Amino acid sequence: MDILEESIETCRKDPGTVVFPDCLDQRVLAAAARLKQEGIARPVLVQSPFAVRQKILASRQQLACFTVVDHTSGPVLAENIDAFMALRHEKGKPVTEEAAQKTMRCALAASAMMIRKGQVEVGVAGNLSSTAAVLRAGIGLIPKKQKTISSFFLMISPKADKAYILADCAVVPEPGPDVLADIAVASAEKAKNLLRQEPRVAMLSFSTKGSASHPRAAMVREAVEKVRKQAPDIRIDGELQLDAAVVPTVASMKAPGSIIRGEANVLVFPSLEAGNIGYKMLQRMAGYKALGPFLQGFDGGWHDLSRGCSSDDIFNVAVLGLCMQRGAAVTPSARQADLPLNENRRSA
Amino acid sequence: MGKQVITADDIIKRAASGTKTLDYNRADVIITPGALDKIEELGLSFSTAPEASGEACSAAVSQTGALPAASQHDAVTEQVCRILKDKLGSAGAAGLEAVVAGVVASRLSAGPDKVQIPDDSTVTGFGGVSLIRGSRVLDREPAGSFPGNVMISHALRLHDDSPLSATYMKWEKADFSRTVEAPEISILVQGGMDLIVDGKTLTAEAGDILYMDKGATVEYHSDTPVLLACVSA
């Protein structure tokens, strides 16, 4: 049983609530129907109920019974406008009622507000909306755990015997050392509550431990230092080339004494192009299953899909998003968690 | 139309007109035992072979459906008795007619079988007719109690080629506005609501039927729980 299957079983024991603002889409209806029919989650669709009904009828499939919230309905809109104006007032950036109404007539913002209010646990969008729009709604309404909002992928090997967290592959194009440090800290947490392993974070570069002298490599080294100051408990090393990060024999030659000993389970890329290319290479050329992207940095589950996603992708993000939000992707006994490093080496 | 019943009187008339060979299509008529006796007595014959007795037996009740009840009972009883006599000969014939008459009377008065719908079944159907248990179509446990939430049932379309489909919509208290995308008929099953159309208010009550044409702009207002059954193409 891989992480996804274990997460499905975990959710089935205590189904959560997932909101879908981009729900006028057959892929979302199919994913939401599956979540509901399999007893994994209770989907909530945010849109006009008549528009949703039209989509259900057009699908010509036997879809589940859905709960829909019309965010433009008078009482809902009025309540959201008041809450948004109060929020902006607290932030010292007040808005007019007209501007608040314009914002809250957007299904993304209304869904983010539901997360803020604790009415739902996780929001999944981006199948129809742009990443910028999804991020804007989240940043405007959902409290943040850290300054940087970034993303990660969970990559699972074809035999499901290896899993990695890869970041950032979807959001921050050119992170500086502070932002890269934030990405590393957030991603390390995912290894704990998603992989159920102690995080071993590799900060990737084209250089290993000063083998090349270049500002880009120096930036990565600076980010490593920042993480060590911010979160001294995190096992992190860099800058490292990929082979020194994940192949113990190479690590022993290129980076002897590295704290992660070629057994990284969190790979932090120095730029978005590297991260995006890297996850696609694992997915397309090595047959890894790519689950995500998941947004990180919000104090609430808010995730952005690719517009080319499948219904299975939507289902997977909802399931893992729920588990991450609860800090328990799988039952602790189900995984070979926190193995001593030498035992992990055999399975890596 | 039921089958024509040929009695002894019919045979006598045909014989009187000089007929020696009877041209009845035996699949289309019921010939009473008295008529058969008269045919034998008068030395007449048939131009076609008799239909298989098993088929005649199984079809006896349904084939006489168009006859008045008393005639139907007599005709069926005669036919079943004749078939059984053919099969049994003289043995066991005593009292046979009374037994068969009792069975036929019982069968004819029983009416159609009543279908028992299992408690866990949402849809039951056959012969192009389906019955959907409304109480099973909507969730008993909604996703949550959110202001303005509406529960929409799955589309009730039971045949892929059906041009019609239906849904239930249920809400506690809500206001909506919409432009109707396709003509639809709704039946307000429970609750009441105001519909504002072209600045005028229509108040609908439980049991009312609404027709909405494509392009109509409608505002819904309800302060009470509403259950709406909608049918559209």
Side-chain angles (χ1 to χ4, degrees):
Chain A
M1 197 182 278
D2 68 18
I3 292 169
L4 181 61
E5 290 166 341
E6 288 166 357
S7 298
I8 288 171
E9 288 310 309
T10 301
C11 287
R12 209 189 302 275
K13 287 172 190 161
D14 183 15
T17 314
V18 184
V19 65
F20 294 98
D22 284 347
C23 57
L24 298 180
D25 181 334
Q26 301 296 349
R27 296 169 297 175
V28 165
L29 294 179
R34 186 178 162 202
L35 287 168
K36 179 157 190 181
Q37 281 162 352
E38 294 185 17
I40 293 164
R42 293 182 292 271
V44 177
L45 313 180
V46 172
Q47 269 298 344
S48 156
F50 299 99
V52 171
R53 196 190 62 181
Q54 198 64 30
K55 276 283 168 192
I56 293 172
L57 295 177
S59 77
R60 301 193 74 83
Q61 294 172 24
Q62 198 76 349
L63 295 170
C65 174
F66 291 118
T67 295
V68 184
V69 172
D70 186 352
H71 60 294
T72 63
S73 159
V76 178
L77 186 60
E79 198 176 297
N80 282 345
I81 289 170
D82 287 349
F84 185 66
M85 290 179 74
L87 171 66
R88 292 298 296 255
H89 186 74
E90 278 173 27
K91 285 184 174 179
K93 297 176 183 173
V95 291
T96 62
E97 186 173 339
E98 188 183 3
Q101 181 175 132
K102 189 178 174 187
T103 299
M104 296 316 302
R105 291 188 78 87
C106 167
L108 289 168
S111 300
M113 183 64 89
M114 291 178 82
I115 290 175
R116 181 180 183 84
K117 289 177 178 175
Q119 293 173 329
V120 293
E121 290 169 79
V122 169
V124 178
N127 48 296
L128 298 178
S129 302
S130 68
T131 294
V134 175
L135 285 172
R136 194 162 46 241
I139 290 167
L141 286 149
I142 301 172
K144 292 198 282 186
K145 274 186 192 169
Q146 60 177 195
K147 192 176 174 185
T148 303
I149 299 299
S150 61
S151 73
F152 73 92
F153 274 89
L154 170 62
M155 307 297 297
I156 301 173
S157 67
K159 291 181 181 172
D161 57 345
K162 284 184 268 187
Y164 297 96
I165 303 293
L166 269 57
D168 172 8
C169 308
V171 176
V172 187
E174 291 182 84
D178 289 318
V179 170
L180 203 56
D182 272 358
I183 294 170
V185 171
S187 303
E189 184 188 289
K190 303 305 174 300
K192 276 185 187 167
N193 70 7
L194 206 54
L195 304 182
R196 287 273 164 180
Q197 293 175 0
E198 184 177 343
R200 298 180 294 278
V201 183
M203 303 291 274
L204 300 179
S205 176
F206 56 86
S207 165
T208 298
K209 297 288 193 180
S211 62
S213 178
H214 191 277
R216 297 293 299 167
M219 187 275 288
V220 174
R221 279 197 295 277
E222 190 182 343
V224 172
E225 288 310 307
K226 285 182 181 291
V227 173
R228 284 178 177 155
K229 282 181 189 166
Q230 274 180 46
D233 294 340
I234 292 178
R235 210 182 289 193
I236 184 169
D237 204 0
E239 85 285 14
L240 294 171
Q241 288 165 283
L242 181 70
D243 53 358
V246 298
V247 183
T249 52
V250 176
S252 66
M253 289 187 291
K254 287 187 172 182
S258 168
I259 194 171
I260 59 173
R261 294 190 253 179
E263 295 171 322
N265 53 13
V266 178
L267 304 176
V268 178
F269 292 87
S271 68
L272 185 56
E273 61 257 53
N276 192 268
I277 293 165
Y279 103 79
K280 285 185 188 291
M281 286 183 77
L282 264 186
Q283 181 188 28
R284 302 293 177 183
M285 301 172 78
Y288 273 61
K289 188 189 288 182
L291 301 174
F294 300 95
L295 293 180
Q296 54 184 357
F298 289 117
D299 189 12
W302 183 245
H303 300 293
D304 174 43
L305 299 157
S306 158
R307 272 175 279 185
C309 66
S310 67
S311 136
D312 283 347
D313 294 333
I314 298 170
F315 174 87
N316 293 341
V317 168
V319 168
L320 291 168
L322 272 174
C323 288
M324 278 188 284
Q325 190 56 24
R326 295 165 173 190
V330 296
T331 51
S333 59
R335 298 205 62 74
Q336 42 176 333
D338 297 326
L339 292 176
L341 283 177
N342 58 344
E343 286 187 40
N344 264 340
R345 181 177 298 161
R346 268 181 246 131
S347 63
Chain B
M1 286 292 288
K3 290 188 175 184
Q4 184 187 0
V5 179
I6 308 300
T7 64
D9 286 345
D10 295 320
I11 301 303
I12 292 167
K13 286 175 187 170
R14 295 294 297 271
S17 66
T19 299
K20 291 289 181 186
T21 303
L22 299 168
D23 57 356
Y24 298 122
N25 184 341
R26 299 189 62 184
D28 295 334
V29 297
I30 295 171
I31 301 173
T32 66
L36 288 169
D37 290 342
K38 188 59 70 180
I39 288 167
E40 190 176 359
E41 181 187 327
L42 297 175
L44 305 180
S45 63
F46 289 99
S47 59
T48 59
E51 62 183 326
S53 59
E55 290 173 20
C57 186
S58 64
V61 171
S62 61
Q63 286 170 347
T64 56
L67 294 173
S71 302
Q72 186 181 17
H73 175 273
D74 292 346
V76 171
T77 301
E78 281 183 18
Q79 187 173 3
V80 172
C81 286
R82 178 174 59 78
I83 293 163
L84 290 174
K85 280 174 183 170
D86 286 347
K87 287 188 171 293
L88 298 174
S90 57
L96 180 64
E97 191 164 342
V99 172
V100 171
V103 171
V104 170
S106 169
R107 180 67 186 84
L108 288 174
S109 64
D113 291 339
K114 186 168 183 177
V115 176
Q116 295 296 320
I117 301 174
D119 288 344
D120 59 351
S121 173
T122 301
V123 180
T124 305
F126 41 81
V129 176
S130 299
L131 187 148
I132 301 160
R133 278 272 180 251
S135 58
R136 294 195 170 278
V137 170
L138 285 161
D139 273 356
R140 289 169 190 174
E141 293 179 27
S145 182
F146 314 110
N149 91 75
V150 179
M151 201 186 295
I152 304 177
S153 73
H154 60 255
L156 306 171
R157 183 191 291 107
L158 299 167
H159 309 285
D160 286 343
D161 56 350
S162 170
L164 293 175
S165 55
T167 48
Y168 274 120
M169 298 179 79
K170 185 179 182 181
W171 61 83
E172 291 295 312
K173 175 185 174 183
D175 296 346
F176 315 107
S177 58
R178 66 179 291 213
T179 300
V180 180
E181 292 186 26
E184 74 177 43
I185 290 174
S186 310
I187 300 163
L188 188 54
V189 180
Q190 288 172 14
M193 60 185 180
D194 286 342
L195 301 171
I196 300 178
V197 187
D198 291 340
K200 299 185 180 87
T201 301
L202 292 166
T203 299
E205 299 171 349
D208 288 349
I209 297 173
L210 300 163
Y211 172 77
M212 295 186 186
D213 213 346
K214 182 181 179 180
T217 301
V218 188
E219 287 180 37
Y220 295 66
H221 296 281
S222 59
D223 293 324
T224 59
V226 165
L227 177 60
L228 199 61
C230 312
V231 180
S232 56

